[in-house]
């Protein structure tokens, strides 16, 4: 696109030919093999060179509701204006009605659509007076916001007396000089730390609304760049991923910048070059909306383009009722996150394309500055304001830009620059946040980035940098606070003959118990910020793994005696009581849990079935058979009042679960799968989470988590255990596990 002498882009840019309906009564072709087939993006624009002062236009019309493209095309073809030529290759687009139109359209069972065509300028008023025409809009010329595409030595006005001094800190007016690399930008944002936490944009698709992408795996023409972009999976045009030349590989730059922050994200090539008119962008947004309604993608649209001067289209520049702007709002309200570059007409060193429209209040036009979009200004990684980054207030919102992202770095080009580079960098950051919180919406994302931004000017908002420079890691941490992590195994010493047992009688306190080679029970205590005590002999004679439960700071210790009866010994915070005989004939170890005011114990009888006994505060019940076939000691936990979950290792070496709901036990044992060497352990962090631990055939400890009623996959926690594990939780994000290592010593690992 070239400028006329008055600075207005020339409309004679060639492109698509033969697309108009020269016969007003002839039905346009809607063959599925034609360029107007669904999901097909036209490769250019209609030819306005047929004489006269022809204007490319978008026509908003009333058509019968729910009658589709054919009705819209028929209505357009019947427009009775001699110079109007309807573009049959541009499929009519449904748009939300403008303010004031909704009620009347609903009353007449009509909707609004946009068609494209050309008309003599002198006939626009006549066209607008047609009975089914609501308004005629200029098919606005658009351009990428990239400095490198222009004359690198002449495209900027130097920051001299003719331009404003830097309005905020210091300014960078050297777009072709890289300030670091893409990796440096990622490090500045803390993106590398977000990646290490497991978030690289997996499952997120970003639509790059730009000049086209040359994608890996796609056939390209001989004149096209051979440099390919990965992770491109589709787009509106049937030839997506095949060209980026029309905008000087601007789309390749934007795509690369997204992946620089979100390397596992996927991309749609949403090409709008070819005619360089806003009708192409309208088509892309419409396609994106329909695609999102089909499969939930793209979740994000990044836009590094717009208009440089108000005179290019005063209505689009200043009126939120323009159909493209309405379509942008529709996308956001549907759930798509939309970012726009602010532009390159800032008051210090603006682009010559800006003419006299530069600086505060004269540089952010149209949808780029809509209140709902995320409007992105630019700084470099040294936190210098980029002097040509467009300044608010925007024509549609007094508080723009929203924030700044980073530009001027070595990326796809020797220097990715302009707000064109800053915007997809921000979109990549948003992709990481969207992966962390799948239901993240536009307002939440905008507020999150604004609230965590680094201010580079006076405190608060300013029209140059908005809220400041986005800080990806700070936003991520606010959105998803640091998750607990497993610490390394540490030795607690001792020599255990069976699996250990552990209990927490108070916060930051643990009591671990083992059965040593003399079959006596030993105890070790730990308190936060103190080293564990030495092993203390409690005595007794146990034939299996002990079990523990707490009543306040009191501890109840259960073992299987030499004659295979269940015995209990209690600690009152000062002394141990005598052993109490609870009867039974126990083959394996014992499990215990407290549910409300009741104490519940579980063991396995000679027939390998599970038996239960409980204390109601006054006396012990009889033994109750729960069935099942257990190859070792059970494990039990109560995560809420009137709830118990019991786990065993079954005859097939899988883990099984049976539950109590306060009234009855579940009818059957639930198979949790796996192939395990020893009995399981279980802990409850809160009322909604159960953590089950078991030792696999690799002798490592594995974990499976239940969140409400949903079980996750088994997770390998490592280690090398010669016994069943023990587990306890004394906080929502704190779990301690114990196991016996190859040297028979007790080892400890914890989540915090």
């Amino acid at each position: 696109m070239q400028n006329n002498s008055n600075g207005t882009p020339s409309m004679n840019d060639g492109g698509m030919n033969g697309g108009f309906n020269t016969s007003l009564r002839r039905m346009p072709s809607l063959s599925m093999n034609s360029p107007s087939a669904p999901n097909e993006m036209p490769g250019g624009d209609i030819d306005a060179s047929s004489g006269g002062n022809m204007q490319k236009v978008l026509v908003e019309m009333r058509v019968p509701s729910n009658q589709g493209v054919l009705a819209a095309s028929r209505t357009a073809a019947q427009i009775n204006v001699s110079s109007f030529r309807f573009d049959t290759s541009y499929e009519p687009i449904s748009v939300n009605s403008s303010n004031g139109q909704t009620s009347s359209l609903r009353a007449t069972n009509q909707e609004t659509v946009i068609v494209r065509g050309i008309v003599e300028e002198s006939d626009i008023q006549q066209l607008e007076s047609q009975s089914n025409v609501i308004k005629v809009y200029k098919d606005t010329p658009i351009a990428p916001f990239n400095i490198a595409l222009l004359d690198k030595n002449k495209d900027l006005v130097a920051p001299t007396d003719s331009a404003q001094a830097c309005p905020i800190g210091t300014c960078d007016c050297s777009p072709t000089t890289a300030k670091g690399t893409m990796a440096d930008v990622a490090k500045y944002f803390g993106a590398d730390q977000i990646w290490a936490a497991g978030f690289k944009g997996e499952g997120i698709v970003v639509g790059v609304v730009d000049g086209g992408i040359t994608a890996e795996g796609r056939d390209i023409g001989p004149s096209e760049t051979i440099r390919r972009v990965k992770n491109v999976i589709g787009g509106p045009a049937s030839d997506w991923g095949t060209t980026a030349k029309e905008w000087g590989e601007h789309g390749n730059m934007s795509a690369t910048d997204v992946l620089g922050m979100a390397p596992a994200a996927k991309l749609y090539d949403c090409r709008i070059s070819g005619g360089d008119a806003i009708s192409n962008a309208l088509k892309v947004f419409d396609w994106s909306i329909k695609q999102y309604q089909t499969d939930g993608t793209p979740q994000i649209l990044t836009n590094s383009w717009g208009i440089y001067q108000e005179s290019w289209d005063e209505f689009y520049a200043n009126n939120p009722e323009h159909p493209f702007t309405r379509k942008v709002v529709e996308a956001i309200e549907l759930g798509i996150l939309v970012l726009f570059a602010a532009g390159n007409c800032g008051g210090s060193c603006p682009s010559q394309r800006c003419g006299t429209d530069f600086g505060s209040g004269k540089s952010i036009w149209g949808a780029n500055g809509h209140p709902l979009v995320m409007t992105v200004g630019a700084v470099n990684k040294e936190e210098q304001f980029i002097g040509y980054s467009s300044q608010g207030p925007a024509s549609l919102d007094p508080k723009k830009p929203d924030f700044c992202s980073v530009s001027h770095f070595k990326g796809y080009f020797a220097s990715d620059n302009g707000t064109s580079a800053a915007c997809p960098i921000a979109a990549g950051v948003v992709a990481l946040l969207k992966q962390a919180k799948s239901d993240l919406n536009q307002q939440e994302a905008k507020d999150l980035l604004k609230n965590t931004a680094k201010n580079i000017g006076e405190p608060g908002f300013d029209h140059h940098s908005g809220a400041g420079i986005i800080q990806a890691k700070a936003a991520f941490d606010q959105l998803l606070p640091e998750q607990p992590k497993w610490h390394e195994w540490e030795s607690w010493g001792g020599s255990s003959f069976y699996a250990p047992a552990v209990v927490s009688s108070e916060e930051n306190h643990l009591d671990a118990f083992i059965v040593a080679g003399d079959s006596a029970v030993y105890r070790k205590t730990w308190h936060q910020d103190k080293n564990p005590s030495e092993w203390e002999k409690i005595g007794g004679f146990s034939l299996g793994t002990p079990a523990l439960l707490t009543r306040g700071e009191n501890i109840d210790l259960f073992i299987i005696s030499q004659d295979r009866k269940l015995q209990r010994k209690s600690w009152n915070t000062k002394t141990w009581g005598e052993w109490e005989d609870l009867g039974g004939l126990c083959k394996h170890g014992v499990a215990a849990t407290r549910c409300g005011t009741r104490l519940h114990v579980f063991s396995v009888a000679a027939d390998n079935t599970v038996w239960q006994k409980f204390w109601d505060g006054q006396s012990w019940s009889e033994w109750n058979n729960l069935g099942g076939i257990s190859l070792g000691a059970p494990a039990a936990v109560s995560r809420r009042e009137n709830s118990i979950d019991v786990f065993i290792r079954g005859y097939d070496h899988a883990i099984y679960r049976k539950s109590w709901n306060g009234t009855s036990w579940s009818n059957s044992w639930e198979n949790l799968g796996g192939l395990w060497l020893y009995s399981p352990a279980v802990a409850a962090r809160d009322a909604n989470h159960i953590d089950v631990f078991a030792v696999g055939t690799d002798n490592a400890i594995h974990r499976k988590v239940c969140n409400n009623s949903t079980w996750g996959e088994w997770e390998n926690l490592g280690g090398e255990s010669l016994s069943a594990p023990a587990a306890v939780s004394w906080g929502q994000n704190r779990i301690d596990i114990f196991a016996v290592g190859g040297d028979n010593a007790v080892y400890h690992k914890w989540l915090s």
Side-chain angles (χ1 to χ4, degrees):
M1 176 163 44
Q2 298 179 345
N3 287 355
N4 295 325
S5 59
N6 63 1
T8 304
S10 170
M11 299 300 295
N12 187 19
D13 52 11
M16 181 171 59
N17 295 310
F20 359 94
N21 184 6
T22 56
S23 172
L24 298 180
R25 293 177 175 80
R26 188 179 70 202
M27 195 78 71
S29 170
L30 295 177
S31 166
M32 293 300 291
N33 296 318
S34 74
S36 58
N39 300 326
E40 183 74 26
M41 187 67 191
D45 210 340
I46 56 179
D47 186 359
S49 63
S50 55
N53 193 10
M54 303 297 287
Q55 174 68 61
K56 298 181 218 179
V57 293
L58 296 172
V59 183
E60 184 174 4
M61 304 187 306
R62 303 176 187 88
V63 300
S65 296
N66 304 316
Q67 293 192 21
V69 172
L70 190 63
S73 300
R74 183 186 298 115
T75 302
Q78 293 172 349
I79 290 175
N80 189 23
V81 177
S82 60
S83 67
F84 177 67
R85 301 182 184 180
F86 167 47
D87 183 358
T88 61
S89 70
Y90 190 83
E91 185 175 301
I93 295 172
S94 177
V95 295
N96 292 333
S97 56
S98 60
N99 290 336
Q101 293 284 336
T102 303
S103 298
S104 62
L105 289 168
R106 195 173 292 160
T108 56
N109 197 29
Q110 292 180 307
E111 62 180 328
T112 54
V113 298
I114 299 293
V115 300
R116 189 170 72 175
I118 59 173
V119 68
E120 287 271 7
E121 281 194 17
S122 59
D123 289 337
I124 289 178
Q125 188 173 356
Q126 181 187 0
L127 177 59
E128 207 162 51
S129 69
Q130 297 288 298
S131 60
N132 290 319
V133 174
I134 298 172
K135 190 170 178 61
V136 178
Y137 308 89
K138 183 179 183 179
D139 193 6
T140 307
I142 57 175
F145 289 150
N146 184 277
I147 300 298
L149 300 180
L150 306 177
D151 187 332
K152 296 180 177 59
N153 298 314
K154 300 179 180 180
D155 60 301
L156 295 183
V157 176
T160 62
D161 293 339
S162 62
Q164 299 176 18
C166 191
I168 182 170
T170 59
C171 277
D172 177 4
C173 291
S174 302
T176 60
T177 303
K179 286 76 179 180
T181 65
M182 179 80 76
D184 295 326
V185 177
K187 187 174 182 178
Y188 171 81
F189 282 133
D192 53 339
Q193 300 175 57
I194 300 173
W195 303 339
F199 297 87
K200 294 185 175 182
E202 288 92 345
I204 305 302
V205 181
V206 180
V208 181
V209 186
D210 214 290
I213 305 172
T214 47
E216 288 184 352
R218 299 287 286 172
D219 293 332
I220 59 174
S223 63
E224 189 61 36
T225 176
I226 61 171
R227 301 174 66 190
R228 305 297 188 94
V229 178
K230 64 180 183 179
N231 292 8
V232 187
I233 61 172
S238 60
D239 62 344
W240 62 265
T242 62
T243 179
K245 280 288 191 176
E246 288 193 55
W247 278 10
E249 301 176 53
H250 186 271
N252 283 351
M253 180 198 72
S254 295
T256 302
D257 293 347
V258 172
L259 297 178
M261 298 301 104
K266 305 299 183 184
L267 306 176
Y268 283 143
D269 175 15
C270 296
R271 189 173 69 240
I272 58 174
S273 64
D276 297 353
I278 207 162
S279 56
N280 288 348
L282 180 64
K283 190 75 171 179
V284 157
F285 266 75
D286 187 62
W287 176 88
S288 298
I289 288 169
K290 292 174 180 175
Q291 187 70 21
Y292 186 87
Q293 291 170 326
T294 299
D295 65 6
T297 68
Q299 295 97 330
I300 301 166
L301 290 173
T302 180
N303 300 265
S304 292
W305 58 272
I307 67 174
Y308 280 79
Q309 301 175 38
E310 184 183 22
S311 61
W312 289 19
D313 187 340
E314 292 185 12
F315 187 92
Y316 170 64
N318 299 301
N319 198 314
E321 296 301 319
H322 189 281
F324 172 70
T325 306
R326 280 184 270 152
K327 184 61 70 171
V328 171
V329 171
E330 182 184 344
I332 292 171
E333 291 179 341
L334 183 64
I336 301 173
L337 309 182
V338 179
L339 298 90
F340 273 86
N344 293 348
C345 292
S348 301
C349 51
S351 167
Q352 289 186 339
R353 281 186 294 186
C354 305
T356 60
D357 285 358
F358 63 85
S360 294
K362 297 186 66 179
S363 57
I364 307 177
W365 306 109
N368 297 63
H370 191 278
L372 293 183
V373 308
M374 289 181 258
T375 304
V376 186
V379 298
N380 64 28
K381 78 172 186 69
E382 306 302 328
E383 301 181 346
Q384 292 177 299
F385 181 69
I386 289 176
Y388 56 83
S389 180
S390 287
Q391 300 157 295
S395 63
L396 301 184
D397 186 356
K399 298 201 70 175
K400 291 290 183 177
D402 292 294
F403 43 72
C404 283
S405 178
V406 175
S407 187
H408 291 188
F409 56 87
K410 186 177 181 181
Y412 183 82
F413 296 120
S415 179
D416 289 3
N417 54 62
T419 55
S420 276
C423 186
I425 288 289
V429 170
V430 172
L432 300 178
L433 302 178
K434 184 69 172 176
Q435 183 190 357
K437 186 176 187 295
S438 61
D439 61 349
L440 183 72
N441 63 38
Q442 180 84 0
Q443 194 61 50
E444 289 173 332
K446 183 194 289 192
D447 290 344
L448 181 64
L449 291 171
K450 290 170 66 175
N451 293 338
T452 56
K454 182 176 182 180
N455 205 307
I456 59 172
E458 296 295 322
F461 171 85
D462 63 76
H463 285 124
H464 318 293
S465 64
I469 311 170
I470 60 173
Q471 302 294 298
K473 184 60 166 56
F476 179 84
D477 289 344
Q478 184 168 311
L479 181 68
L480 192 68
E482 187 175 356
Q483 298 299 292
K485 62 181 181 181
W486 287 101
H487 297 259
E488 297 299 321
W489 290 96
E490 65 175 15
S491 176
W492 273 32
S495 180
S496 184
F497 200 68
Y498 300 111
V502 62
V503 70
S504 178
S505 57
E506 59 180 312
E507 191 172 296
N508 302 323
H509 185 91
L510 295 174
D511 290 89
F513 294 78
I514 61 172
V515 178
D518 60 356
S519 297
V521 179
Y522 289 75
R523 174 197 186 193
K524 183 188 278 277
T525 62
W526 168 89
H527 196 82
Q528 194 171 35
D529 302 325
K530 295 182 181 179
N531 292 326
S533 69
E534 298 298 322
W535 288 100
E536 170 197 7
K537 187 173 182 178
I538 306 301
F541 190 101
S542 181
L543 294 181
T545 300
L548 303 158
L549 54 81
T550 59
R551 293 174 287 118
E553 295 183 13
N554 297 334
I555 299 173
D556 290 293
L557 168 65
F558 299 87
I559 65 170
I560 298 174
S561 67
Q562 196 170 5
D563 56 359
R564 296 201 173 275
K565 292 181 179 180
L566 182 65
Q567 289 189 333
R568 179 179 76 160
K569 192 181 187 73
S570 298
W571 168 258
N572 65 6
T573 74
K574 293 182 180 180
T575 60
W576 288 97
E578 299 297 323
W579 289 103
E580 176 188 4
D581 192 341
L582 301 181
L585 183 62
C586 305
K587 183 176 181 179
H588 299 298
V590 61
T593 190
R594 180 165 56 89
C595 182
T597 59
R598 288 185 173 185
L599 310 181
H600 296 258
V601 292
F602 304 84
S603 192
V604 177
D607 61 355
N608 291 317
T609 61
V610 180
W611 291 75
Q612 174 213 19
K613 191 181 186 77
F614 65 86
W615 170 261
D616 63 6
Q618 296 183 344
S619 61
W620 285 97
S621 72
E622 298 296 324
W623 287 97
N624 172 43
N625 192 341
L626 301 183
I629 300 292
S630 181
L631 298 184
V637 69
S638 176
R639 54 186 167 131
R640 62 170 73 97
E641 190 173 355
N642 296 322
S643 171
I644 301 175
D645 293 275
V646 180
F647 299 83
I648 60 173
R649 182 171 68 109
Y651 65 94
D652 57 354
H653 302 276
I655 301 297
Y656 288 80
R657 171 198 183 198
K658 196 177 186 75
S659 300
W660 168 260
N661 62 11
T663 303
S664 60
W665 288 95
S666 55
N667 292 326
S668 60
W669 290 86
E670 177 189 3
N671 190 339
L672 301 183
L675 183 64
W676 311 105
L677 297 180
Y678 309 111
S679 298
V682 62
R685 285 174 285 162
D686 53 45
N688 298 318
H689 290 87
I690 303 174
D691 293 76
V692 178
F693 302 87
V695 177
T697 56
D698 55 357
N699 289 108
I701 293 180
H702 298 250
R703 174 198 187 204
K704 193 178 186 74
V705 178
C706 179
N707 185 352
N708 288 317
S709 59
T710 303
W711 287 96
E713 300 297 323
W714 287 100
E715 171 192 8
N716 192 331
L717 302 182
E720 186 175 350
S721 181
L722 297 185
S723 76
V728 67
S729 176
W730 44 267
Q732 186 170 1
N733 291 316
R734 174 76 189 218
I735 301 176
D736 292 77
I737 58 174
F738 293 81
V740 177
D743 57 356
N744 290 108
V746 177
Y747 286 82
H748 171 228
K749 188 181 184 77
W750 68 101
L751 177 74
S752 67

